[in-house]
Amino acid sequence: MFLHTHPYEPFIFEQAEKLIVGTLPPPRFTTGELKADDVDFCYGSRNGMLWPILDRIFDLGLVYENTHLAIEQRKNFLLANKIGVCDIVESAEREKVDASDLGMQNVRLRNLLHYLERYQNLKTVLFMGGNSKNGPEYFFRKLLKPIEVKLETISEEVPRIYRFQLPETDRKIQTVSLTAPSGAANRAVGSLASYKRMKATDANFNTLDFRVLQYRDFFLS
């Protein structure tokens, strides 16, 4: 079994108002065998779509390379826009060494509620994926269950939006389950009626374009 541990500590600071929450980066980030166009930072995989999406929304001019400059560009963006990152999985075991969420076994979770309580300006959690098995929303619901906190549904349309109240506080946190910024989610995107409508009117429209439109409202608001 391969022990897939998260290589990065949460990137959170006092001013953060939004929190990006995923699961684990590809195993090569754990072993340190990065490719030349990977970035040694959260969501830095050459195959990941999060930074290309944000690059288009904010016109960032990011470089995609294994350099200090690439890391600093991303950190500076997050700081300037009051966005933190705290993936929910600390470690998992795998029989097959790949990045599949479904392949994770004996998962150890980070206490995301602790970070939400500690950083009191946080208002929105942006899940990089939904409630399918081993997705970030799925694991978050597991954290809430023992303390009997439920997510109140705000919108059942994709991306699904929920709200909950932090225990022993009057703070209410909104969660948004965005379509995962990974190639594995492309099939799900392709099955959405909203994507099919957009594709029908523009043959060049693709799954990255769809995510840019979906993410824009929640990252700019």
Side-chain angles (χ1 to χ4, degrees):
M1 297 286 279
F2 173 71
L3 180 61
H4 190 178
T5 59
H6 204 298
Y8 306 118
E9 291 295 315
F11 184 86
I12 315 182
F13 46 98
E14 293 297 337
Q15 296 79 16
E17 297 178 356
K18 300 172 186 174
L19 191 64
I20 294 170
V21 177
T23 53
L24 283 169
R28 67 179 181 276
F29 283 78
T30 296
T31 61
E33 300 170 294
L34 273 61
K35 301 181 185 298
D37 49 353
D38 285 329
V39 179
D40 193 8
F41 187 63
C42 308
Y43 297 88
S45 168
R46 62 186 292 187
N47 307 117
M49 298 183 193
L50 178 59
W51 286 112
I53 291 166
L54 296 177
D55 205 347
R56 281 180 51 179
I57 293 171
F58 292 91
D59 193 20
L60 300 176
L62 298 177
V63 296
Y64 296 86
E65 58 193 26
N66 191 358
T67 64
H68 180 71
L69 170 63
I71 296 170
E72 289 304 304
Q73 283 183 326
R74 286 153 178 79
K75 287 183 177 179
N76 290 339
F77 164 78
L78 294 171
L79 291 167
N81 289 275
K82 300 179 181 179
I83 301 170
V85 182
C86 181
D87 287 341
I88 197 167
V89 176
E90 182 64 39
S91 67
E93 293 180 343
R94 295 185 181 276
E95 291 182 2
K96 182 180 179 182
V97 183
D98 61 17
S100 163
D101 280 347
L102 285 175
M104 293 189 292
Q105 302 178 39
N106 300 321
V107 177
R108 187 159 66 94
L109 300 178
R110 288 174 170 168
N111 187 355
L112 193 61
L113 286 169
H114 162 75
Y115 293 104
L116 292 173
E117 291 166 356
R118 176 178 173 184
Y119 295 94
Q120 298 190 14
N121 287 311
L122 288 170
K123 301 177 180 70
T124 305
V125 173
L126 300 170
F127 289 125
M128 299 291 104
N131 193 32
S132 56
K133 186 178 179 181
N134 289 2
E137 181 197 319
Y138 171 89
F139 284 131
F140 188 64
R141 287 177 180 273
K142 289 188 71 172
L143 289 179
L144 294 181
K145 189 172 182 180
I147 59 173
E148 299 183 343
V149 172
K150 294 185 178 180
L151 295 178
E152 173 192 356
T153 302
I154 305 301
S155 173
E156 274 291 0
E157 293 184 14
V158 175
R160 294 181 175 86
I161 303 172
Y162 305 98
R163 181 172 57 200
F164 71 97
Q165 185 165 327
L166 278 174
E168 301 180 8
T169 76
D170 58 0
R171 287 175 58 208
K172 290 192 175 181
I173 305 289
Q174 177 177 275
T175 73
V176 182
S177 298
L178 297 165
T179 301
S182 65
N186 284 343
R187 181 176 296 179
V189 173
S191 68
L192 293 172
S194 54
Y195 174 79
K196 290 177 180 177
R197 286 195 300 269
M198 295 176 193
K199 185 72 172 176
T201 59
D202 179 1
N204 294 319
F205 189 78
N206 59 38
T207 56
L208 177 60
D209 297 328
F210 180 84
R211 288 175 174 87
V212 170
L213 292 176
Q214 185 189 95
Y215 284 39
R216 177 178 279 121
D217 290 342
F218 301 102
F219 277 93
L220 287 176
S221 62

